[in-house]
Amino acid sequence: MAKATEKYEVMYIINPNFTEEQTAAVVEKFKALVEAHGTLDELEEMGKRKLAYEINYISEGYYVLMKFTSGADFPAELDRILGITDGIMRRLITLRAE
């Protein structure tokens, strides 16, 4: 069976207490990771926004939305790395309906 590629999007929230440099480094890390394992279709830094509910007493976060195309095995690895990265408060990877 050939490796099929699928279109995904990932939304992740970075701790708003990070400096601009720390935030930029996190965004760059995941941009490079996606580019190494697939194609980055779109990267939108939505900036600081109020959270729907507090996470560890923090009421806002820095939102980043990435749309990418990759093999079906990559999103699980991306989710694992997001999960162990300091400053990532929440993340969600979904299959994009085109």
Side-chain angles (χ1 to χ4, degrees), residues 43-67:
L43 172 64
E44 183 183 355
E45 292 187 49
M46 301 164 83
K48 284 187 182 176
R49 295 180 169 211
K50 190 156 176 52
L51 299 173
Y53 55 89
E54 286 190 358
I55 301 170
N56 298 332
Y57 307 103
I58 298 172
S59 63
E60 64 176 16
Y62 189 90
Y63 283 70
V64 181
L65 174 67
M66 279 196 311
K67 296 182 179 182

Side-chain angles (χ1 to χ4, degrees), residues 29-49:
K29 171 184 177 173
F30 289 107
K31 178 178 180 257
L33 188 65
V34 165
E35 288 173 336
H37 291 88
T39 308
L40 181 64
D41 302 322
E42 190 180 321
L43 172 64
E44 183 183 355
E45 292 187 49
M46 301 164 83
K48 284 187 182 176
R49 295 180 169 211

Side-chain angles (χ1 to χ4, degrees), residues 1-97:
M1 191 172 115
K3 274 197 165 184
T5 59
E6 295 275 7
K7 292 185 179 296
Y8 298 94
E9 66 181 31
V10 57
M11 168 80 75
Y12 58 94
I13 306 172
I14 303 171
N15 187 320
N17 300 323
F18 269 29
T19 65
E20 275 184 45
E21 292 78 22
Q22 287 173 306
T23 300
V26 170
V27 171
E28 187 55 43
K29 171 184 177 173
F30 289 107
K31 178 178 180 257
L33 188 65
V34 165
E35 288 173 336
H37 291 88
T39 308
L40 181 64
D41 302 322
E42 190 180 321
L43 172 64
E44 183 183 355
E45 292 187 49
M46 301 164 83
K48 284 187 182 176
R49 295 180 169 211
K50 190 156 176 52
L51 299 173
Y53 55 89
E54 286 190 358
I55 301 170
N56 298 332
Y57 307 103
I58 298 172
S59 63
E60 64 176 16
Y62 189 90
Y63 283 70
V64 181
L65 174 67
M66 279 196 311
K67 296 182 179 182
F68 64 96
T69 307
S70 75
D73 53 347
F74 174 62
E77 178 64 4
L78 177 61
D79 189 56
R80 184 188 73 78
I81 296 168
L82 279 161
I84 59 173
T85 300
D86 283 344
I88 301 294
M89 296 166 56
R90 286 287 184 273
R91 75 246 185 234
L92 179 66
I93 301 173
T94 54
L95 203 54
R96 249 164 53 206

